[in-house]
């Protein structure tokens, strides 16, 4: 396995975001741009080959959303593994 890079993290986030929205059971996520220093401070083994990387994020705003957390998490895990 190759070392992780900011470029690879960014590409994976973009792919999961797009695949999630267009799949048969859509899941809508968003991304946040993490700068090089902030990202590598938290993940020092990641090679900083770019100024930063998009990372996935999602927010469940309503208390009734709690009933869907496990299903949504499973969907995101499947997308990440595909």
């Amino acid at each position: 396995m190759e070392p992780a890079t900011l470029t690879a993290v960014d590409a994976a986030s973009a792919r999961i975001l797009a695949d999630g929205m267009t799949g048969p059971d859509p899941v809508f996520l968003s991304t946040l741009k993490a700068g090089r220093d902030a990202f590598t401070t938290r993940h020092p083994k990641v090679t900083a080959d770019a100024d930063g990387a998009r990372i996935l994020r999602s927010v469940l705003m309503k208390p009734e959303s709690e009933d869907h957390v496990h299903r949504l998490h499973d969907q995101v895990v499947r997308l990440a593994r595909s």
Side-chain angles (χ1 to χ4, degrees):
M1 178 178 260
E2 294 182 32
T5 64
L6 289 176
T7 302
V9 170
D10 186 78
S13 296
R15 180 191 58 78
I16 293 168
L17 179 72
D19 290 353
M21 289 188 290
T22 59
D25 185 16
V27 59
F28 297 94
L29 304 166
S30 62
T31 58
L32 171 73
K33 180 77 175 214
R36 173 197 311 248
D37 293 338
F39 195 102
T40 56
T41 295
R42 290 170 181 82
H43 305 282
K45 292 183 181 181
V46 173
T47 301
D49 65 340
D51 290 337
R54 287 172 288 179
I55 57 174
L56 294 172
R57 67 178 209 89
S58 188
V59 177
L60 300 174
M61 302 285 288
K62 299 178 181 178
E64 56 270 19
S65 298
E66 185 176 0
D67 296 337
H68 303 282
V69 171
H70 293 293
R71 183 180 65 79
L72 293 170
H73 181 264
D74 289 345
Q75 284 179 272
V76 174
V77 168
R78 280 193 299 280
L79 287 165
R81 290 181 177 161
S82 64

